Coordinates of all heavy atoms in Angstrom, one line a residue:
M1 N -10.3 -23.1 19.1 CA -11.5 -22.9 18.4 C -11.6 -21.4 17.9 O -12.0 -21.1 16.8 CB -12.7 -23.3 19.1 CG -14.0 -23.1 18.3 SD -15.3 -23.8 19.3 CE -16.7 -23.3 18.2
T2 N -11.1 -20.5 18.7 CA -11.2 -19.1 18.4 C -10.4 -18.8 17.1 O -10.8 -18.0 16.3 CB -10.6 -18.2 19.6 OG1 -11.5 -18.5 20.7 CG2 -10.7 -16.8 19.3
S3 N -9.2 -19.4 17.1 CA -8.3 -19.1 15.9 C -9.0 -19.6 14.6 O -8.7 -19.0 13.6 CB -6.9 -19.8 16.1 OG -7.1 -21.2 16.1
E4 N -9.8 -20.6 14.6 CA -10.5 -21.1 13.4 C -11.4 -20.0 13.0 O -11.6 -19.8 11.8 CB -11.2 -22.4 13.7 CG -10.2 -23.6 13.9 CD -11.0 -24.8 14.1 OE1 -12.2 -24.9 13.8 OE2 -10.4 -25.8 14.7
V5 N -12.1 -19.4 13.9 CA -13.1 -18.4 13.5 C -12.5 -17.1 13.0 O -12.9 -16.6 12.0 CB -14.0 -18.0 14.7 CG1 -14.9 -16.9 14.4 CG2 -14.8 -19.2 15.2
E6 N -11.3 -16.8 13.6 CA -10.6 -15.5 13.2 C -9.7 -15.7 11.9 O -9.5 -14.8 11.2 CB -9.8 -15.0 14.4 CG -10.7 -14.6 15.6 CD -9.8 -14.3 16.7 OE1 -8.6 -14.4 16.7 OE2 -10.4 -13.8 17.8
Q7 N -9.3 -16.9 11.7 CA -8.3 -17.2 10.6 C -9.0 -18.0 9.6 O -9.5 -19.1 9.9 CB -7.1 -17.9 11.2 CG -6.3 -17.1 12.2 CD -5.7 -15.8 11.6 OE1 -5.2 -15.8 10.4 NE2 -5.6 -14.8 12.3
P8 N -8.9 -17.4 8.3 CA -9.4 -18.3 7.2 C -8.6 -19.6 7.1 O -7.4 -19.6 7.4 CB -9.3 -17.4 6.0 CG -9.1 -16.0 6.5 CD -8.5 -16.2 7.9
T9 N -9.3 -20.6 6.5 CA -8.5 -21.8 6.4 C -7.5 -21.7 5.3 O -7.6 -20.8 4.5 CB -9.5 -23.0 6.0 OG1 -10.1 -22.7 4.8 CG2 -10.5 -23.2 7.1
A10 N -6.5 -22.6 5.3 CA -5.5 -22.6 4.2 C -6.2 -22.8 2.8 O -5.7 -22.1 1.8 CB -4.5 -23.7 4.4
M11 N -7.2 -23.5 2.8 CA -7.9 -23.7 1.5 C -8.5 -22.3 1.0 O -8.5 -22.0 -0.2 CB -9.0 -24.8 1.6 CG -9.6 -25.2 0.4 SD -10.6 -26.7 0.8 CE -11.5 -26.8 -0.7
S12 N -9.1 -21.6 2.0 CA -9.7 -20.3 1.6 C -8.6 -19.3 1.2 O -8.9 -18.5 0.3 CB -10.5 -19.7 2.8 OG -11.6 -20.5 3.1
E13 N -7.5 -19.4 1.9 CA -6.4 -18.4 1.6 C -5.9 -18.7 0.2 O -5.4 -17.8 -0.4 CB -5.3 -18.5 2.6 CG -5.6 -17.8 3.9 CD -5.7 -16.3 3.7 OE1 -5.0 -15.7 3.0 OE2 -6.5 -15.7 4.5
A14 N -6.0 -19.9 -0.3 CA -5.5 -20.2 -1.6 C -6.4 -19.6 -2.8 O -5.9 -19.5 -3.9 CB -5.4 -21.7 -1.8
L15 N -7.6 -19.2 -2.3 CA -8.5 -18.6 -3.3 C -8.0 -17.2 -3.8 O -7.5 -16.4 -2.9 CB -9.9 -18.4 -2.8 CG -10.7 -19.7 -2.4 CD1 -12.0 -19.3 -1.7 CD2 -11.0 -20.5 -3.7
G16 N -8.2 -16.9 -5.0 CA -7.9 -15.5 -5.5 C -9.1 -14.6 -5.1 O -10.2 -15.1 -4.7
Y17 N -8.9 -13.3 -5.2 CA -10.0 -12.4 -4.8 C -11.3 -12.7 -5.6 O -12.3 -12.8 -4.9 CB -9.5 -11.0 -5.1 CG -10.7 -10.0 -4.9 CD1 -11.0 -9.6 -3.6 CD2 -11.4 -9.5 -6.0 CE1 -12.2 -8.8 -3.5 CE2 -12.4 -8.6 -5.8 CZ -12.8 -8.3 -4.6 OH -13.9 -7.4 -4.4
E18 N -11.2 -12.8 -6.8 CA -12.4 -13.0 -7.7 C -13.1 -14.3 -7.3 O -14.3 -14.3 -7.2 CB -12.1 -13.0 -9.2 CG -11.6 -11.7 -9.7 CD -10.2 -11.3 -9.4 OE1 -9.5 -12.2 -8.9 OE2 -9.8 -10.2 -9.7
Q19 N -12.4 -15.4 -7.0 CA -12.9 -16.6 -6.6 C -13.7 -16.5 -5.3 O -14.8 -17.0 -5.1 CB -11.9 -17.8 -6.6 CG -11.3 -18.1 -7.9 CD -10.1 -19.1 -7.7 OE1 -9.2 -18.8 -6.9 NE2 -10.1 -20.1 -8.4
A20 N -13.0 -15.9 -4.3 CA -13.6 -15.7 -3.0 C -14.9 -14.7 -3.1 O -15.9 -15.1 -2.4 CB -12.6 -15.1 -2.0
R21 N -14.8 -13.7 -3.9 CA -15.9 -12.8 -4.0 C -17.1 -13.6 -4.8 O -18.2 -13.4 -4.2 CB -15.5 -11.6 -5.0 CG -16.6 -10.6 -5.1 CD -16.4 -9.8 -6.4 NE -16.4 -10.7 -7.6 CZ -15.6 -10.5 -8.7 NH1 -14.9 -9.4 -8.7 NH2 -15.6 -11.3 -9.7
D22 N -16.8 -14.4 -5.7 CA -18.0 -15.1 -6.4 C -18.6 -16.1 -5.4 O -19.8 -16.2 -5.5 CB -17.4 -15.8 -7.7 CG -17.0 -14.8 -8.8 OD1 -17.4 -13.5 -8.6 OD2 -16.4 -15.2 -9.7
E23 N -17.8 -16.7 -4.7 CA -18.4 -17.7 -3.7 C -19.1 -17.0 -2.6 O -20.2 -17.5 -2.2 CB -17.2 -18.6 -3.1 CG -17.8 -19.7 -2.3 CD -16.8 -20.6 -1.6 OE1 -15.7 -20.7 -2.2 OE2 -17.2 -21.3 -0.7
L24 N -18.6 -15.9 -2.2 CA -19.3 -15.1 -1.2 C -20.6 -14.6 -1.8 O -21.7 -14.6 -1.0 CB -18.4 -13.9 -0.8 CG -19.1 -12.9 0.2 CD1 -19.4 -13.6 1.5 CD2 -18.1 -11.8 0.5
I25 N -20.7 -14.2 -3.0 CA -22.0 -13.8 -3.6 C -22.9 -14.9 -3.6 O -24.2 -14.8 -3.4 CB -21.7 -13.3 -5.1 CG1 -21.0 -11.9 -5.0 CG2 -23.1 -13.2 -5.8 CD1 -20.5 -11.5 -6.4
E26 N -22.5 -16.1 -3.9 CA -23.4 -17.3 -3.9 C -23.9 -17.6 -2.5 O -25.0 -18.0 -2.3 CB -22.6 -18.5 -4.5 CG -23.4 -19.8 -4.5 CD -24.7 -19.7 -5.3 OE1 -24.8 -18.9 -6.2 OE2 -25.6 -20.6 -5.1
V27 N -22.9 -17.5 -1.5 CA -23.3 -17.7 -0.1 C -24.5 -16.8 0.3 O -25.5 -17.1 0.9 CB -22.1 -17.6 0.8 CG1 -22.5 -17.5 2.3 CG2 -21.2 -18.8 0.6
V28 N -24.3 -15.5 0.0 CA -25.3 -14.5 0.3 C -26.6 -14.8 -0.4 O -27.7 -14.8 0.2 CB -24.8 -13.1 0.0 CG1 -25.9 -12.0 0.1 CG2 -23.7 -12.7 0.9
R29 N -26.6 -15.2 -1.6 CA -27.8 -15.5 -2.4 C -28.5 -16.7 -1.7 O -29.7 -16.6 -1.5 CB -27.4 -15.9 -3.9 CG -28.6 -16.1 -4.7 CD -28.3 -16.9 -6.0 NE -27.8 -18.2 -5.8 CZ -28.6 -19.2 -5.4 NH1 -29.8 -19.1 -5.1 NH2 -28.1 -20.4 -5.2
R30 N -27.8 -17.7 -1.3 CA -28.4 -18.8 -0.7 C -29.0 -18.5 0.7 O -30.1 -18.9 1.0 CB -27.4 -20.0 -0.5 CG -27.0 -20.7 -1.8 CD -26.1 -21.8 -1.7 NE -26.6 -22.8 -0.8 CZ -25.9 -23.8 -0.3 NH1 -24.6 -23.9 -0.6 NH2 -26.5 -24.7 0.5
L31 N -28.3 -17.6 1.5 CA -28.9 -17.2 2.7 C -30.1 -16.4 2.5 O -31.1 -16.5 3.3 CB -27.8 -16.4 3.5 CG -26.8 -17.2 4.2 CD1 -25.6 -16.3 4.7 CD2 -27.3 -18.0 5.3
E32 N -30.1 -15.4 1.6 CA -31.3 -14.6 1.2 C -32.4 -15.4 0.8 O -33.6 -15.0 1.0 CB -30.9 -13.5 0.3 CG -30.0 -12.4 0.9 CD -29.6 -11.3 0.0 OE1 -29.7 -11.6 -1.3 OE2 -29.1 -10.3 0.4
A33 N -32.2 -16.5 0.0 CA -33.3 -17.3 -0.5 C -34.0 -18.1 0.6 O -35.2 -18.4 0.4 CB -32.7 -18.2 -1.6
G34 N -33.3 -18.3 1.6 CA -33.9 -19.1 2.7 C -34.1 -20.6 2.3 O -33.5 -21.1 1.4
G35 N -34.8 -21.3 3.1 CA -35.1 -22.7 2.8 C -34.1 -23.7 3.3 O -34.1 -24.8 3.0
T36 N -33.1 -23.1 4.1 CA -32.1 -23.9 4.7 C -32.4 -24.2 6.2 O -33.0 -23.4 6.8 CB -30.7 -23.3 4.5 OG1 -30.6 -22.0 5.1 CG2 -30.3 -23.2 3.0
T37 N -31.8 -25.2 6.6 CA -31.9 -25.5 8.1 C -31.1 -24.5 8.9 O -30.2 -23.8 8.3 CB -31.5 -26.9 8.5 OG1 -30.1 -27.0 8.2 CG2 -32.2 -28.0 7.6
L38 N -31.3 -24.5 10.2 CA -30.5 -23.5 11.0 C -29.0 -23.9 10.9 O -28.2 -23.0 10.8 CB -31.0 -23.6 12.5 CG -30.2 -22.8 13.5 CD1 -30.2 -21.4 13.2 CD2 -30.7 -23.1 14.9
E39 N -28.7 -25.2 10.9 CA -27.3 -25.6 10.9 C -26.7 -25.2 9.5 O -25.6 -24.8 9.5 CB -27.2 -27.1 11.1 CG -27.3 -27.5 12.6 CD -26.3 -27.0 13.4 OE1 -25.1 -26.9 13.1 OE2 -26.7 -26.4 14.6
E40 N -27.4 -25.4 8.4 CA -26.9 -25.0 7.1 C -26.8 -23.6 7.1 O -25.8 -23.1 6.5 CB -27.9 -25.5 6.0 CG -28.0 -27.0 5.9 CD -29.1 -27.5 4.9 OE1 -30.2 -26.7 4.9 OE2 -29.0 -28.5 4.3
S41 N -27.7 -22.8 7.6 CA -27.6 -21.3 7.6 C -26.3 -20.8 8.4 O -25.6 -20.0 8.0 CB -28.8 -20.7 8.2 OG -29.9 -21.0 7.3
L42 N -26.1 -21.5 9.5 CA -24.9 -21.2 10.3 C -23.7 -21.5 9.6 O -22.7 -20.7 9.6 CB -25.0 -21.8 11.7 CG -26.0 -21.3 12.7 CD1 -26.1 -22.2 13.9 CD2 -25.6 -19.9 13.1
A43 N -23.6 -22.6 8.9 CA -22.4 -23.0 8.1 C -22.2 -22.1 7.0 O -21.1 -21.6 6.7 CB -22.6 -24.5 7.6
L44 N -23.3 -21.7 6.3 CA -23.2 -20.6 5.3 C -22.7 -19.4 5.8 O -21.8 -18.7 5.1 CB -24.5 -20.4 4.5 CG -24.9 -21.6 3.6 CD1 -26.4 -21.4 3.2 CD2 -24.0 -21.6 2.3
W45 N -23.2 -18.9 6.9 CA -22.8 -17.6 7.5 C -21.3 -17.7 7.8 O -20.6 -16.7 7.5 CB -23.6 -17.3 8.8 CG -23.2 -16.1 9.4 CD1 -22.2 -15.9 10.4 CD2 -23.7 -14.8 9.1 NE1 -22.2 -14.6 10.7 CE2 -23.1 -13.9 9.9 CE3 -24.7 -14.3 8.2 CZ2 -23.3 -12.5 9.9 CZ3 -25.0 -13.0 8.2 CH2 -24.3 -12.0 9.0
E46 N -20.9 -18.8 8.5 CA -19.4 -18.9 8.8 C -18.6 -18.9 7.6 O -17.5 -18.2 7.6 CB -19.2 -20.1 9.6 CG -19.8 -20.0 11.0 CD -19.8 -21.4 11.8 OE1 -19.6 -22.5 11.1 OE2 -20.1 -21.3 13.0
R47 N -19.0 -19.5 6.5 CA -18.3 -19.6 5.3 C -18.2 -18.2 4.7 O -17.1 -17.7 4.2 CB -18.9 -20.6 4.3 CG -18.2 -20.7 3.0 CD -16.8 -21.2 3.1 NE -16.1 -21.3 1.9 CZ -14.8 -21.4 1.7 NH1 -14.0 -21.3 2.7 NH2 -14.3 -21.5 0.5
G48 N -19.3 -17.5 4.7 CA -19.4 -16.1 4.2 C -18.4 -15.2 5.0 O -17.7 -14.4 4.4
E49 N -18.3 -15.3 6.3 CA -17.4 -14.5 7.1 C -16.0 -14.8 6.7 O -15.2 -13.9 6.6 CB -17.6 -14.8 8.6 CG -18.9 -14.2 9.2 CD -18.9 -12.7 9.3 OE1 -17.8 -12.1 9.5 OE2 -20.0 -12.1 9.2
E50 N -15.7 -16.1 6.5 CA -14.4 -16.5 6.1 C -14.0 -15.9 4.7 O -12.9 -15.4 4.6 CB -14.3 -18.0 6.1 CG -12.9 -18.6 5.9 CD -13.0 -20.1 6.0 OE1 -13.5 -20.7 6.9 OE2 -12.4 -20.8 5.0
L51 N -14.9 -16.1 3.8 CA -14.7 -15.5 2.5 C -14.4 -14.0 2.5 O -13.7 -13.4 1.8 CB -15.8 -15.9 1.5 CG -15.8 -17.4 1.2 CD1 -17.2 -17.8 0.6 CD2 -14.7 -17.8 0.3
A52 N -15.3 -13.3 3.3 CA -15.2 -11.8 3.4 C -13.8 -11.5 3.9 O -13.2 -10.5 3.5 CB -16.2 -11.3 4.4
K53 N -13.2 -12.3 4.9 CA -11.9 -11.9 5.4 C -10.9 -12.1 4.3 O -9.9 -11.4 4.2 CB -11.6 -12.8 6.6 CG -12.4 -12.4 7.8 CD -12.1 -13.4 9.0 CE -13.0 -13.0 10.1 NZ -12.9 -14.0 11.3
V54 N -11.0 -13.3 3.5 CA -10.1 -13.5 2.4 C -10.1 -12.3 1.4 O -9.1 -11.7 1.0 CB -10.4 -14.8 1.7 CG1 -9.7 -14.9 0.4 CG2 -10.2 -16.0 2.6
C55 N -11.4 -11.8 1.1 CA -11.4 -10.7 0.2 C -10.8 -9.4 0.8 O -10.1 -8.7 0.1 CB -13.0 -10.4 -0.1 SG -13.7 -11.6 -1.2
R56 N -11.0 -9.2 2.1 CA -10.4 -8.0 2.7 C -8.9 -8.1 2.7 O -8.2 -7.2 2.4 CB -10.9 -8.0 4.2 CG -10.2 -6.9 5.0 CD -10.3 -5.5 4.6 NE -11.6 -5.0 4.2 CZ -11.9 -4.0 3.3 NH1 -11.0 -3.4 2.8 NH2 -13.2 -3.7 3.1
R57 N -8.4 -9.3 3.0 CA -6.9 -9.5 3.0 C -6.3 -9.2 1.6 O -5.3 -8.6 1.4 CB -6.5 -10.8 3.4 CG -6.6 -11.0 5.0 CD -5.9 -12.3 5.4 NE -5.9 -12.3 6.9 CZ -6.8 -13.0 7.5 NH1 -7.8 -13.7 7.0 NH2 -6.8 -13.0 8.9
R58 N -7.0 -9.7 0.6 CA -6.6 -9.5 -0.8 C -6.6 -8.0 -1.2 O -5.7 -7.6 -1.8 CB -7.4 -10.3 -1.8 CG -7.3 -11.8 -1.6 CD -6.1 -12.4 -2.2 NE -6.1 -13.8 -2.1 CZ -5.0 -14.5 -1.9 NH1 -3.9 -13.9 -1.8 NH2 -5.1 -15.9 -1.9
L59 N -7.7 -7.4 -0.8 CA -7.8 -6.0 -1.1 C -6.7 -5.1 -0.3 O -6.1 -4.2 -0.9 CB -9.2 -5.5 -0.8 CG -10.3 -5.9 -1.7 CD1 -11.7 -5.6 -1.1 CD2 -10.1 -5.4 -3.1
D60 N -6.5 -5.5 0.9 CA -5.5 -4.8 1.7 C -4.1 -5.0 1.1 O -3.3 -4.1 1.0 CB -5.5 -5.3 3.2 CG -6.7 -4.8 4.0 OD1 -7.4 -3.9 3.5 OD2 -7.0 -5.4 5.0
G61 N -3.9 -6.2 0.7 CA -2.6 -6.5 0.0 C -2.4 -5.7 -1.3 O -1.3 -5.2 -1.6
A62 N -3.5 -5.7 -2.1 CA -3.4 -4.9 -3.3 C -3.2 -3.4 -3.0 O -2.4 -2.7 -3.7 CB -4.7 -5.0 -4.1
R63 N -3.8 -2.9 -2.0 CA -3.6 -1.4 -1.6 C -2.2 -1.2 -1.1 O -1.6 -0.2 -1.5 CB -4.6 -1.1 -0.5 CG -4.3 0.2 0.2 CD -4.3 1.5 -0.7 NE -5.6 1.7 -1.3 CZ -5.8 2.5 -2.3 NH1 -4.8 3.1 -2.9 NH2 -7.0 2.6 -2.8
A64 N -1.6 -2.2 -0.4 CA -0.3 -2.0 0.1 C 0.7 -2.0 -1.1 O 1.7 -1.2 -1.2 CB 0.1 -3.1 1.0
R65 N 0.5 -2.9 -2.1 CA 1.3 -2.9 -3.3 C 1.2 -1.6 -4.1 O 2.2 -1.1 -4.6 CB 0.9 -4.1 -4.2 CG 1.4 -5.4 -3.6 CD 0.8 -6.6 -4.4 NE 1.4 -6.5 -5.8 CZ 1.0 -7.3 -6.7 NH1 0.1 -8.2 -6.5 NH2 1.5 -7.3 -7.9
L66 N 0.0 -1.1 -4.2 CA -0.2 0.2 -4.9 C 0.4 1.3 -4.2 O 1.2 2.1 -4.8 CB -1.7 0.5 -5.1 CG -2.4 -0.3 -6.1 CD1 -3.9 0.0 -6.0 CD2 -2.0 0.0 -7.5
D67 N 0.3 1.3 -2.9 CA 0.9 2.4 -2.1 C 2.5 2.3 -2.2 O 3.2 3.4 -2.4 CB 0.5 2.3 -0.6 CG -0.9 2.7 -0.4 OD1 -1.5 3.3 -1.3 OD2 -1.4 2.4 0.7
A68 N 3.0 1.1 -2.2 CA 4.5 0.9 -2.3 C 4.9 1.4 -3.7 O 5.9 2.1 -3.8 CB 4.9 -0.5 -2.1
A69 N 4.2 1.1 -4.8 CA 4.5 1.4 -6.1 C 4.5 3.0 -6.3 O 5.3 3.6 -6.9 CB 3.7 0.8 -7.2
L70 N 3.5 3.6 -5.7 CA 3.3 5.0 -5.8 C 4.5 5.8 -5.0 O 5.0 6.7 -5.5 CB 2.0 5.5 -5.3 CG 0.8 5.1 -6.2 CD1 -0.5 5.5 -5.5 CD2 0.9 5.8 -7.5
A71 N 4.8 5.2 -3.9 CA 5.9 5.8 -3.0 C 7.3 5.6 -3.8 O 8.0 6.6 -3.9 CB 6.0 5.1 -1.7
E72 N 7.4 4.5 -4.5 CA 8.6 4.3 -5.3 C 8.7 5.2 -6.4 O 9.7 5.8 -6.8 CB 8.7 2.8 -5.7 CG 10.0 2.5 -6.4 CD 10.0 1.0 -6.8 OE1 9.8 0.2 -6.0 OE2 10.2 0.8 -8.0
E73 N 7.5 5.4 -7.1 CA 7.5 6.3 -8.2 C 7.8 7.8 -7.8 O 8.4 8.5 -8.5 CB 6.1 6.2 -8.8 CG 5.9 7.0 -10.1 CD 4.5 6.8 -10.7 OE1 4.2 5.7 -11.2 OE2 3.7 7.8 -10.6
E74 N 7.3 8.1 -6.6 CA 7.5 9.5 -6.1 C 9.0 9.7 -5.8 O 9.5 10.8 -6.0 CB 6.6 9.8 -4.9 CG 5.1 10.0 -5.3 CD 4.3 10.1 -4.0 OE1 4.8 10.2 -2.9 OE2 3.1 10.2 -4.2
T75 N 9.6 8.7 -5.2 CA 11.0 8.9 -4.8 C 12.0 8.5 -5.9 O 13.1 9.0 -5.9 CB 11.4 8.0 -3.6 OG1 11.2 6.7 -3.9 CG2 10.6 8.4 -2.4
G76 N 11.6 7.8 -6.9 CA 12.4 7.4 -8.0 C 13.0 8.5 -8.8 O 14.2 8.5 -9.0
P77 N 12.2 9.4 -9.4 CA 12.8 10.5 -10.2 C 13.8 11.3 -9.4 O 14.8 11.7 -10.0 CB 11.6 11.3 -10.6 CG 10.4 10.4 -10.5 CD 10.8 9.4 -9.4
E78 N 13.6 11.6 -8.2 CA 14.5 12.4 -7.4 C 15.8 11.7 -7.2 O 16.9 12.3 -7.4 CB 13.9 12.8 -6.0 CG 12.7 13.6 -6.1 CD 12.0 13.8 -4.7 OE1 12.6 13.3 -3.7 OE2 10.9 14.3 -4.7
D79 N 15.8 10.4 -6.9 CA 17.0 9.6 -6.8 C 17.7 9.5 -8.1 O 18.9 9.7 -8.1 CB 16.6 8.2 -6.3 CG 16.1 8.2 -4.9 OD1 16.4 9.2 -4.1 OD2 15.5 7.2 -4.4
A80 N 17.0 9.3 -9.2 CA 17.6 9.2 -10.4 C 18.3 10.6 -10.9 O 19.3 10.5 -11.4 CB 16.6 8.8 -11.5
A81 N 17.6 11.6 -10.6 CA 18.1 12.9 -11.0 C 19.3 13.3 -10.2 O 20.3 13.9 -10.7 CB 17.0 14.0 -10.8
A82 N 19.4 13.0 -8.9 CA 20.5 13.3 -8.0 C 21.7 12.4 -8.4 O 22.8 13.0 -8.3 CB 20.1 13.0 -6.6
G83 N 21.5 11.3 -8.9 CA 22.7 10.5 -9.2 C 23.0 10.4 -10.7 O 24.0 9.8 -11.0
S84 N 22.4 11.2 -11.5 CA 22.6 11.1 -12.9 C 23.9 11.7 -13.3 O 24.6 11.2 -14.3 CB 21.5 11.7 -13.7 OG 21.4 13.1 -13.4
D85 N 24.4 12.7 -12.6 CA 25.7 13.2 -13.0 C 26.8 12.8 -12.1 O 27.9 13.3 -12.1 CB 25.7 14.8 -13.0 CG 25.3 15.3 -11.7 OD1 25.1 14.6 -10.7 OD2 25.3 16.6 -11.6
G86 N 26.5 11.8 -11.2 CA 27.5 11.2 -10.3 C 27.6 11.9 -9.0 O 28.3 11.6 -8.1
T87 N 26.8 13.0 -8.8 CA 26.8 13.7 -7.5 C 25.5 13.4 -6.7 O 24.5 13.1 -7.3 CB 26.9 15.2 -7.7 OG1 25.7 15.6 -8.4 CG2 28.1 15.7 -8.3
P88 N 25.6 13.3 -5.4 CA 24.4 13.0 -4.6 C 23.4 14.1 -4.6 O 23.5 15.2 -5.0 CB 25.0 12.8 -3.2 CG 26.4 13.1 -3.2 CD 26.8 13.4 -4.6

């Protein structure tokens, strides 16, 4: 049961960042509006937590890709210049 709480479902993982964010906004809106039973509120809260994790993973992945691209860009010109005339 603990793994279910900590790990988003496969269906949630299939969501793109924008989809997860939009659904999370809707979940928050519904919670703030009230009028739901305790069970419905708990289910919404759990879904919101799951969606927030999906968003965080997507953002972390995007940050890693940007960092990798920037690192490659920084090392790329030096490598290209060193090897352009055939010498290291």
Side-chain angles (χ1 to χ4, degrees):
M1 182 171 173
T2 303
S3 63
E4 288 179 20
V5 173
E6 294 173 359
Q7 296 295 322
T9 64
M11 194 169 164
S12 292
E13 282 295 323
L15 292 175
Y17 171 78
E18 290 80 6
Q19 292 170 311
R21 181 203 60 211
D22 291 347
E23 187 178 341
L24 179 56
I25 290 168
E26 179 61 20
V27 165
V28 170
R29 187 197 62 73
R30 288 181 61 194
L31 284 169
E32 288 177 342
T36 57
T37 67
L38 177 59
E39 284 300 314
E40 290 169 334
S41 294
L42 287 173
L44 285 168
W45 180 269
E46 290 170 348
R47 181 62 177 161
E49 289 289 331
E50 188 175 312
L51 291 165
K53 288 176 185 177
V54 170
C55 289
R56 172 57 53 203
R57 283 193 178 95
R58 297 282 186 216
L59 289 171
D60 288 346
R63 169 57 65 192
R65 288 175 61 191
L66 286 171
D67 289 345
L70 289 172
E72 185 178 307
E73 186 175 289
E74 288 175 4
T75 60
E78 293 171 10
D79 292 341
S84 64
D85 63 358
T87 60

